[in-house]
Amino acid sequence: MSGATRTVEADALDAVAAGRADDPFAVLGPHAVTHAISHGGRPAIVIRTMQPSASAVDVLAGDCVVPMARRHPGGLFEAMLDLDGRSLSDLAYRFRIHEAGETRQAI
């Protein structure tokens, strides 16, 4: 038995990646971050996507390109972005998905 403590977030990511989440969009997509310690207390959002066959995913928001971190080996990716004075509903973004030696963009 491992001494590591599981978090509710880790359990939710596992459930989405395994296809057993009751509400996958409670995890996937954009969500406001209320504890943006890593962003110096500035308003931020976390964006998550499931891309099981991707080797890498970037978030494209305006002129900004943010590489997403793989949070789960099943293909769940995540990035945190500053809101920069915008509301969550005003943030337009796309994904750049790298898979099988090709790159494609998705809305």
Side-chain angles (χ1 to χ4, degrees), residues 16-49:
V16 169
R20 26 178 195 84
D22 292 333
D23 182 7
F25 293 104
V27 173
L28 298 173
H31 299 278
V33 177
T34 57
H35 60 290
I37 296 168
S38 63
H39 281 258
R42 297 184 308 271
I45 63 164
V46 63
I47 300 174
R48 295 186 189 100
T49 184

Side-chain angles (χ1 to χ4, degrees), residues 53-55 98-102:
S53 61
S55 58
H98 307 271
E99 58 188 6
E102 297 184 13

Side-chain angles (χ1 to χ4, degrees), residues 10-100:
D11 290 342
L13 297 178
D14 286 347
V16 169
R20 26 178 195 84
D22 292 333
D23 182 7
F25 293 104
V27 173
L28 298 173
H31 299 278
V33 177
T34 57
H35 60 290
I37 296 168
S38 63
H39 281 258
R42 297 184 308 271
I45 63 164
V46 63
I47 300 174
R48 295 186 189 100
T49 184
M50 268 304 295
Q51 303 294 333
S53 61
S55 58
V57 180
D58 303 314
V59 174
L60 311 173
D63 296 335
C64 186
V65 177
V66 179
M68 300 183 83
R70 183 182 290 267
R71 287 291 311 273
H72 190 280
L76 197 147
F77 291 84
E78 173 183 282
M80 192 175 297
L81 286 77
D82 288 329
L83 280 174
D84 294 325
R86 299 171 288 200
S87 71
L88 182 60
S89 61
D90 291 337
L91 182 68
Y93 66 90
R94 299 182 320 272
F95 297 116
R96 181 183 299 148
I97 303 159
H98 307 271
E99 58 188 6

